[in-house]
Amino acid sequence: MQLKSKPVEEDKDKKKPGRLNPSRIRDHLANERTYLAWMRTGIALLGFGVVIVRLRAFQVPLVPRPGTGWKLGLVFSLVGLITVWLSTGHYFAVRRDIEEDTYEPTDRWVILFSLAIMILGAGVIYFVFTSPLDPLSPVMPE
């Protein structure tokens, strides 16, 4: 049985790859900033949903039934929760891809959330233009 000694230089190259690579560190920090931006977006959507629901409390309703505003607020809140859930999953997937050096950007997130915000925006526009105005409001249709 013969033992071979490895050169010292080869041991240095056996370190975990990329641990001190500044580019890799920047990638992880950028991933974290993106995740935090998605968190802010999710929280904003949740807050906007609550505001839409609570607007009715500040104004005496012309119609005695609950109306449709709560539905729009609920949808905003649900989209906010889904944003938080999906962004967390996306963060860990990107983190794994950065570690494995296999990251490829995807377009599906941009398309998915753009469509969601466009639909919610259309819901807000519809809600604003179809809800009856308060007769005591200074803004009256001509």
Side-chain angles (χ1 to χ4, degrees):
M1 184 164 158
Q2 221 176 19
L3 295 174
K4 293 183 180 179
S5 65
K6 296 180 182 179
V8 177
E9 291 175 10
E10 189 176 312
D11 288 340
K12 288 180 184 176
D13 293 337
K14 287 273 185 175
K15 282 186 190 176
K16 292 183 179 179
R19 285 290 174 205
L20 300 176
N21 184 354
S23 175
R24 193 172 149 273
I25 293 169
R26 278 193 303 270
D27 291 345
H28 280 293
L29 292 173
N31 185 33
E32 188 171 341
R33 283 190 301 271
T34 303
Y35 171 69
L36 293 173
W38 280 113
M39 285 292 111
R40 285 190 302 272
T41 301
I43 291 168
L45 287 167
L46 283 164
F48 196 56
V50 170
V51 167
I52 289 173
V53 170
R54 298 297 295 169
L55 278 177
R56 188 167 178 83
F58 297 121
Q59 198 174 40
V60 178
L62 295 175
V63 182
R65 63 180 196 272
T68 59
W70 69 271
K71 293 176 188 175
L72 185 61
L74 179 65
V75 170
F76 265 93
S77 297
L78 289 175
V79 170
L81 286 175
I82 291 169
T83 301
V84 170
W85 178 261
L86 291 177
S87 65
T88 302
H90 184 67
Y91 168 79
F92 285 110
V94 169
R95 180 178 172 190
R96 182 190 65 241
D97 289 346
I98 290 171
E99 285 294 318
E100 296 172 355
D101 198 23
T102 59
Y103 176 73
E104 289 291 327
T106 60
D107 294 335
R108 74 173 176 207
W109 294 106
V110 174
I111 293 169
L112 175 70
F113 283 104
S114 295
L115 286 173
I117 298 302
M118 286 172 46
I119 291 168
L120 289 173
V124 169
I125 291 170
Y126 175 79
F127 178 70
V128 166
F129 285 106
T130 59
S131 60
L133 289 175
D134 182 5
L136 301 176
S137 172
V139 180
M140 291 297 292
E142 300 282 333

